[in-house]
Amino acid sequence: MDTCLVLEGRVKFRDKKKWKPRWGILSRLSPVADSLTLQLYKDAKDRTKGGPTKSTLALEHFFGTESGFTLEKESHTISIICRDVIVTLAFEEKKDLLTWMVKITSTLGSSQPFTASLLSVPPRSRLRPGLVRLHLRDWKFAVTEGIPPRLLGIWNLQDLR
């Protein structure tokens, strides 16, 4: 199946607790798809030779992005928050970060994260009192915490009381 290239370039991919330099390809399966695919190659040569991908990630059920945080000496960072995966990337230059941010949000839509404070939580809950970020999208909201962001939960807005 043909894909629609959105963007490609050099990235640093956060794999577990390490940064790995990769060549990233951001694409859509069709011009009207509301999801993206991120393919990561070892380098640009592997991509042009048709070499194997190191990783392929489906960016579906998008909630938003968080960027501008410093993580282990990397300051041009972005986390792409989806229901099933949070992808954290770093870039050498701020202009590269901004280019990727614009392409991602123009393709998937944007959301404004809101900072909130959880004052109390139910006993034996995965949630802890403290600062969190809310991402509102498509009548749902996601709650994240920490750097890099960690998804704490997803709820339907209609479930709020």
Side-chain angles (χ1 to χ4, degrees):
M1 181 180 279
D2 260 356
T3 59
C4 301
L5 180 67
V6 174
L7 186 63
E8 70 179 295
R10 189 181 350 224
V11 300
K12 290 181 184 174
F13 172 66
R14 182 80 172 174
D15 187 17
K16 297 182 178 125
K17 296 195 177 223
K18 291 186 177 184
W19 289 111
K20 296 189 177 175
R22 296 286 183 253
W23 187 261
I25 309 286
L26 203 55
S27 59
R28 286 177 156 181
L29 293 179
S30 78
V32 294
D34 64 349
S35 64
L36 292 171
T37 300
L38 176 62
Q39 293 177 295
L40 298 167
Y41 292 86
K42 183 177 178 184
D43 53 31
K45 283 190 277 184
D46 271 9
R47 195 259 200 265
T48 55
K49 288 184 201 173
T53 59
K54 290 288 187 179
S55 187
T56 300
L57 303 163
L59 304 178
E60 301 173 321
H61 308 286
F62 175 75
F63 278 98
T65 61
E66 293 182 18
S67 64
F69 53 87
T70 300
L71 181 61
E72 293 181 6
K73 300 180 184 176
E74 298 294 339
S75 57
H76 306 301
T77 55
I78 184 172
S79 286
I80 306 161
I81 301 162
C82 299
R83 183 186 67 195
D84 300 322
V85 65
I86 295 180
V87 177
T88 301
L89 303 172
F91 302 90
E92 292 294 325
E93 297 183 20
K94 187 172 186 173
K95 71 178 180 66
D96 296 330
L97 167 64
L98 294 174
T99 300
W100 280 70
M101 282 178 60
V102 166
K103 289 292 187 176
I104 290 166
T105 56
S106 66
T107 304
L108 298 176
S110 62
S111 73
Q112 175 65 43
F114 296 93
T115 302
S117 183
L118 295 179
L119 300 176
S120 65
V121 297
R124 288 179 252 140
S125 169
R126 285 182 32 190
L127 303 173
R128 296 186 313 243
L131 288 178
V132 296
R133 287 169 304 284
L134 301 174
H135 296 269
L136 300 159
R137 178 149 170 114
D138 298 333
W139 297 99
K140 294 181 185 222
F141 72 98
V143 177
T144 63
E145 74 169 356
I147 296 176
R150 185 173 64 93
L151 189 62
L152 298 178
I154 298 169
W155 295 271
N156 291 317
L157 280 175
Q158 66 193 25
D159 294 338
L160 285 176
R161 293 185 219 154

